[in-house]
Amino acid sequence: MEWWKKTIVYELYPKSFQDTTGSGTGDIAGIRRRLDYLQSLGIGAVWLTPVCRSPMVDNGYDIADYREIDPSYGTMEEFEALLKEAKERGIGIVMDLVFNHTSDQNPWFVESRKSKDNPYSSWYIWRDAKEDGSAPTNWRGIFGGSAWTWCEERGQYYLHTFASAQPDLNWANPDVRKALYDAANFWIEKGAAGFRVDAITYIRKPDVFKDGIPDGEDGMVSVHDMTANTPGILEYLHEWKREVSEGKNIFTVAEANGVSADELKYWVGRDGAFDMLFEFSHVNLEFKGVETWCKPNPWTISDLKAALRASQEATRTNGWYPIFFENHDKPRSNSHYFEAGADMRKASKVIGTILYTLRGTPFVYQGQELGYANMALDSVDDYDDISTHGQYAFALEEGLSKEEAMACVHAYSRDNARTPMQWDDTENAGFTTGVPWLPVHSQYRTENAAYESADPDSILNWYRRLAQLRKQEPVLTEGDFEEVFADSDDLFAYRRVTESEEILVIVNFKNHAVSYDESVLDGMKILLSSEPGTAPGIMRALEAAIWKKEK
Ligand code: GLC
């Protein structure tokens, strides 16, 4: 079995991890300083969100140079030292490839915007204005506002799926594709252990661009609905596989919203373009398709279970599932999946238990292992995240009051997941000696790595114990997934099964005790429980328990 199927991946947000210079933002030297901590989590790979040179309009997802480290993070020498030191600890470094778009400060775009006939003129998506001078189509960018920006210099509009500072590359141009593959191979030669591939579903544009039926008061339609997963996209992706990843000892995981289960086999696995694919149905339960924060739909634990069941089923014989509940774009999971008033420590352990025991490779997101919750800031101006500002403005346009719009921000802002790491109980939680770029949580005196390391009952030690369990019990890696109590809206329970072993995992999502048919425990012994004194047949509020049977 490939190494990355047997490991745990840690998603690290460098800007918020550890500052060593007093600048208020994290750096590579800070990651090197904390390698012992990373090793103590039992992980085998660290996915770094983008560290390439960037004006940071979208915190690195706007790349100005694919082969340079951003000076705020450090130097290439420091990056190489990180690769080496991490490798000595058995940890691979996974890079984030942002290939749908670049920064508007990327020299390719700076050249492209100059005229219609320069060598880079067709590297981006340029179109003439409509007759009245307005944008070529009524598409709304993912961060809000038109997906088109007028460029006076060239006398045309350019397309940007995200912010106007993130112009979309023209993948139909073979020179563009080659430049991107070369950039990926540059990092493989440096020793990268794999890639997370950003926003890949948008790379192929339709042949004809046309207006869509408006889905909001602004008269626009989401660009996602008009361009995501355009037929023909797989030709590019298979070319990417041949040119970059095939036959190498690395893994690839693509961020791919909206790939249906029947198409999955072309995307992942033996005949697919990637090893794994992040799909979002279980973290976007309230959003069908486009993520519009002010229009969440109601959902239940049964919906969550159905989404997880579908991905387990879809990757049963082909491909491999990247298990995740948090990332740098999503709210904290302990603030998302539970009833009001839930005990955060217990809720965090419930999520950790599922993360480390489903079939697939767990991706734990920075701070999740310490139990961070969402953080509400008073004013929208206090938020850094570019999409927060777009979503807030959209909510007001849709007729919500300022208070209602702020409630959406509090629930869904991407800054919820981007607050600085809390290392100890000193000022700014040991993250920086300067002014942190986002505030640290107010409860950092007890929710920090040093404090939790010393507390045997902490969330951190629960995560460490689960990581050990994955190593000790190969059935957690190899075993099939078989759901139990599928009809329950309180408990999520499943077996992991091989010919010789069986593990049963049961978690209770609710703030009250739930009883169950204890015959499922026949011949089983308790391996691990989040609360002392687990009793057969009853799950206490927010309890997690792992049982085992030798066959
Ligand atoms: C992905 C990233 C997100 C970024 C966007 C544009 O969704 O995860 O953080 O803003 O792509 O690159």
Side-chain angles (χ1 to χ4, degrees), residues 57 103-104 109 143 146-149 158 160 162-167 386:
V57 169
S103 159
D104 60 355
F109 187 74
F143 294 156
S146 172
W148 296 96
T149 292
Y158 64 88
H160 48 88
F162 295 89
S164 65
Q166 294 167 298
I386 188 167

Side-chain angles (χ1 to χ4, degrees), residues 93-106:
I93 300 291
V94 173
M95 304 297 281
D96 204 324
L97 296 181
V98 188
F99 277 0
N100 174 67
H101 46 268
T102 67
S103 159
D104 60 355
Q105 294 182 29
N106 191 301

